[in-house]
Each structure stands twice: as C-alpha cells, then as structure tokens.
Amino acid sequence: MRLVLLGFPGAGKGTQAKFIAAEYHIPHISTGDILRSAIQKTSELGKKVKNIVADGRLVPDDIMTTLIEDRLKQNDCQHGFLLDGFPRTLQQASALEGITKIEGVIDIELSEEAVIERLTGRRIHPASGRTYHLLYQPPRVQDKDDVTGEPLIQRPDDFEATIRQRLNVYQIQTSPLKAYYQHAPAICYMKINGAEPIPQVKEKIAQALTKLSHAREKID
Ligand code: AP5
C-alpha cells in the first residue's frame, strides 16, 4: 500500500496512521514528527525550520521534497508506506509523482471548531510522538506518558492563535490537493468523516482500505 493521509491539522491523521501502519505493516512517515525531531536535536535542518514550524507556516517545498525523496529510498518503504503531512502543496504533490506512484488518499474531514477543541486539548510525549487528548484520549496518569511515565507537553504550535494560522495556511495551500487527488487517474480517493469517535473513524478507514485491497487484487 502506498498511501497519503490528508486532512486539517488535528483531524486525527497521526492517531489513525498508527493503526493503519500496524495493520498493513508499512512505515508511518510523519513529516511533522521528522521536523520536530530535527528541532529537538538542533540539527542543521532543525535550526532552519524551528521558527517556521512554531509560527504555523509551511517549510519550503524544496526542503520537504528532498527529505521525502531520501526517506522513501530506505528499505522499509519497499512494500509501501503511509505519508502523513506530505504533500501539503500542489508543488509537493507534483514532485511526489516524480518519485513514486500513490495508490490511495485518505482524506479525514473535520470542522474548524472541532480542530480548535482537538488541538488545544492535545498533549504529546515529545520523545516518541505519542499523542493524548485531555478529554478524548487521556493518559492513565494525568500529564504523564503511559509507557515511560515521562511528562507530556503541549506542542508550541497548539495554542489557539497558531492553530488558526495553520488552518488558514491549510485552506490556501493544502486544500487544492482535495480536487487534485479526486481527479487523479489510478488513485483511489477515500473521504472519511473525522468527527466520529476514534474507534469508529478507525473502522471506516479499515473498510475503505479493504475495498482498495480487493480492487488491487482484481487488477493483479
Ligand atoms: P504536522 O505535525 O503534520 O501537523 P498537522 O498536519 O497540523 O497535523 P497534526 O499533527 O497537528 O494533527 P493530526 O491530524 O495528526 O491529529 P492527531 O491525530 O494528533 O506538521 C506540523 C508543522 O510542520 C506544519 O505546521 C509545518 O510547519 C511543518 N510541516 C510538516 N509537513 C510539512 C510539509 N509537507 N510541507 C511544509 N511544512 C510541513 O489528533 C489531534 C488530537 O485529537 C489528539 O489529541 C488526539 O488524541 C485527538 N483525536 C484524534 N482523533 C480523534 C477523534 N476521532 N475523536 C476525538 N479526539 C480525537
């Protein structure tokens, strides 16, 4: 499976990506996680992108495309992958076409009001990227990671003003990808209602991917 996840910030891409990657034994490639890890390590890339990410703007296309091209060359991507956070512009989508052929796009839909509630309540474990929500997915012990017991933090871009900036950026730069993938030949576009609880969203995605698998088997 060579898949792309689309959807507003906070639509539930990262949450659902973990289930899909485990089910199909494919790597979950989150560009946000890669950038945050680079920022944490203060690598050259991290230094370049730190302020851009904190402000909720997009990192330049050439940096992101090189990063994904290198990542997709790694062995674990031979039998498929799940891209979460890439592409985010038409230029990135066009560059991706030159690198590999995508089979399916899962577009998780959610309203802007729900996004604000989801992201202001999100807490993360920075070292692993594990995600929680104060109401919808609370940790077993308040403010502590379930696995390591280490403290959870609020992402610097998860404060309301920055969330609104990210939504604005999404509407202008990323939302054209919806039409792009809806009309792309040989790519299965799957629209999923992200407003339902996590297990229901997971089930709807599983059903859509089963249909896609059956369609592939017929072609093979
Ligand atoms: P990135 O990390 O990709 O952020 P994003 O797209 O804004 O997505 P999020 O991680 O915020 O949300 P999500 O959809 O994964 O939601 P989640 O599952 O956590 O990118 C960050 C930044 O990096 C960008 O702003 C940009 O600067 C830069 N960047 C990255 N890629 C780039 C690119 N290609 N080009 C340029 N720049 C790039 O869920 C959210 C919360 O809701 C959680 O608390 C979760 O527990 C809860 N939740 C999830 N599902 C449900 C549900 N069904 N019901 C109730 N609660 C739920």
Side-chain angles (χ1 to χ4, degrees):
M1 288 276 193
R2 294 185 299 277
L3 303 170
V4 163
L5 271 170
L6 276 186
F8 267 161
K13 301 183 296 297
T15 302
Q16 297 298 330
K18 304 225 163 23
F19 303 132
I20 301 166
E23 178 67 25
Y24 287 94
H25 309 286
I26 50 178
H28 166 207
I29 302 173
S30 157
T31 43
D33 283 350
I34 296 171
L35 295 174
R36 279 184 291 278
S37 159
I39 293 167
Q40 208 175 12
K41 290 179 192 144
T42 54
S43 67
E44 279 312 305
L45 171 66
K47 285 187 225 163
K48 252 189 232 168
V49 303
K50 185 174 179 195
N51 290 338
I52 300 177
V53 173
D55 293 347
R57 290 175 287 128
L58 290 188
V59 173
D61 289 333
D62 57 333
I63 296 182
M64 295 312 301
T65 302
T66 307
L67 194 150
I68 282 297
E69 190 165 14
D70 291 346
R71 181 65 186 84
L72 292 181
K73 279 182 194 151
Q74 290 177 24
N75 277 343
D76 63 339
C77 296
Q78 263 178 6
H79 302 295
F81 50 80
L82 174 61
L83 290 177
D84 166 9
F86 187 97
R88 250 181 160 93
T89 62
L90 287 170
Q91 286 85 342
Q92 291 181 14
S94 155
L96 182 61
E97 262 181 54
I99 300 170
T100 186
K101 292 281 162 264
I102 294 300
E103 293 166 282
V105 172
I106 303 163
D107 187 4
I108 306 181
E109 295 196 318
L110 193 67
S111 69
E112 296 205 7
E113 301 75 59
V115 164
I116 305 282
E117 196 200 5
R118 294 248 183 114
L119 292 186
T120 49
R122 174 163 65 182
R123 296 295 179 272
I124 64 159
H125 175 241
S128 65
R130 269 186 292 281
T131 298
Y132 301 85
H133 190 279
L134 296 178
L135 294 177
Y136 305 125
Q137 213 185 5
R140 281 197 285 272
V141 177
Q142 196 182 351
D143 294 331
K144 301 270 190 266
D145 177 46
D146 285 352
V147 178
T148 62
E150 288 166 352
L152 301 178
I153 62 153
Q154 188 164 13
R155 263 173 50 178
D157 57 347
D158 273 354
F159 293 90
E160 190 167 337
T162 315
I163 298 168
R164 292 200 184 276
Q165 157 74 359
R166 287 160 63 199
L167 284 169
N168 196 28
V169 165
Y170 190 95
Q171 293 286 20
I172 296 166
Q173 294 184 263
T174 309
S175 64
L177 291 179
K178 205 182 253 286
Y180 177 89
Y181 282 123
Q182 274 169 339
H183 299 116
I187 294 181
C188 175
Y189 171 85
M190 296 159 271
K191 190 160 75 174
I192 302 289
N193 176 9
E196 293 186 67
I198 294 171
Q200 274 87 319
V201 177
K202 178 183 172 191
E203 182 54 33
K204 296 276 163 57
I205 293 176
Q207 287 168 3
L209 288 177
T210 303
K211 274 192 202 157
L212 174 60
S213 296
H214 289 156
R216 285 167 88 218
E217 279 163 19
K218 276 188 193 154
I219 294 165
D220 293 346

